[in-house]
Amino acid sequence: LFSGKYLPYLVLLLFSIPLFFIGIHDVHSWGDDFSQYIKEAQNIAHGKPFYQSGYIYNIYNPEYAPPQYPPGYPLLLAPVVKIWGLSIRAMCYFNSFIAGCLLFALFAYFRKYTGIVTAICLSVLVTYNGFMIDLKSQVLSDVSCLLFVTLYLTFRNAETYSWRRITLLVLCAVMAILTR
């Protein structure tokens, strides 16, 4: 189990554990995006059309916020909202899970171009930088979009493209587009 083949994954697993303790709060900072994501996720969780958020779009200030956001992130967030309700803490734990997945996806991506130690170090540096930790503590789609873009780039780097790889590429690209 602790041989050289699985050791990098064990190291990454150990590095992913603190993500569930750093930046976990019961409150959310001010903003507009998170409330619409949560409302759309709540609509999905309760079987309503996701875009019926009650948001009143200001046509005279179109740069502020769109009438609705793409459904990708609310779809990911909907099971959390269905089970734990409007708990910001549960949503931060979900973002921690996404950040942990990103850690492994970045390792897979960097591993194609560098050695194991370098790939681990780069993955940890990207995942643990202050900006990413701050994003993890907010209900925003940026980290999950980065996860799907990283997965897309990882699956795209191949000699041949089987139908499975093409399917994964399409799914990752669609989720990246629908998430952000």
Side-chain angles (χ1 to χ4, degrees):
L1 178 68
F2 299 111
S3 66
K5 182 178 178 183
Y6 297 108
L7 187 60
Y9 300 105
L10 179 64
V11 170
L12 290 174
L13 183 65
L14 291 174
F15 271 111
S16 67
I17 292 171
L19 290 172
F20 290 91
F21 300 100
I22 300 171
I24 303 295
H25 307 289
D26 284 328
V27 296
H28 199 284
S29 62
W30 288 96
D32 62 330
D33 293 352
F34 79 96
S35 59
Q36 198 162 329
Y37 284 131
I38 293 171
K39 181 59 180 168
E40 289 175 359
Q42 188 179 35
N43 286 348
I44 292 168
H46 294 98
K48 298 178 185 175
F50 84 99
Y51 55 83
Q52 290 182 349
S53 64
Y55 173 72
I56 300 171
Y57 179 65
N58 183 358
I59 60 171
Y60 300 110
N61 189 9
E63 294 88 25
Y64 179 67
Q68 70 263 349
Y69 286 99
Y73 187 64
L75 276 171
L76 294 173
L77 200 58
V80 175
V81 172
K82 180 76 172 179
I83 296 170
W84 288 284
L86 300 178
S87 169
I88 295 294
R89 180 177 289 269
M91 294 177 208
C92 286
Y93 280 126
F94 171 72
N95 285 342
S96 296
F97 172 74
I98 295 292
C101 292
L102 178 63
L103 181 69
F104 283 90
L106 286 168
F107 172 74
Y109 176 76
F110 290 134
R111 183 64 189 104
K112 292 181 181 265
Y113 302 103
T114 65
I116 291 174
V117 174
T118 304
I120 290 172
C121 291
L122 287 171
S123 303
V124 169
L125 283 173
V126 171
T127 306
Y128 275 89
N129 78 60
F131 183 71
M132 291 295 289
I133 295 297
D134 185 47
L135 277 177
K136 185 185 74 71
S137 67
Q138 299 178 34
V139 183
L140 297 173
S141 64
D142 301 70
V143 178
S144 57
C145 182
L146 180 58
L147 172 64
F148 289 113
V149 169
T150 303
L151 289 172
Y152 175 83
L153 292 173
T154 302
F155 294 138
R156 187 171 179 258
N157 185 10
E159 297 288 327
T160 61
Y161 292 97
S162 66
W163 67 271
R164 287 185 181 119
R165 184 174 294 271
I166 291 171
T167 303
L168 282 172
L169 284 169
V170 169
L171 289 174
C172 288
V174 166
M175 278 308 292
I177 291 167
L178 287 178
T179 302
R180 193 68 182 127

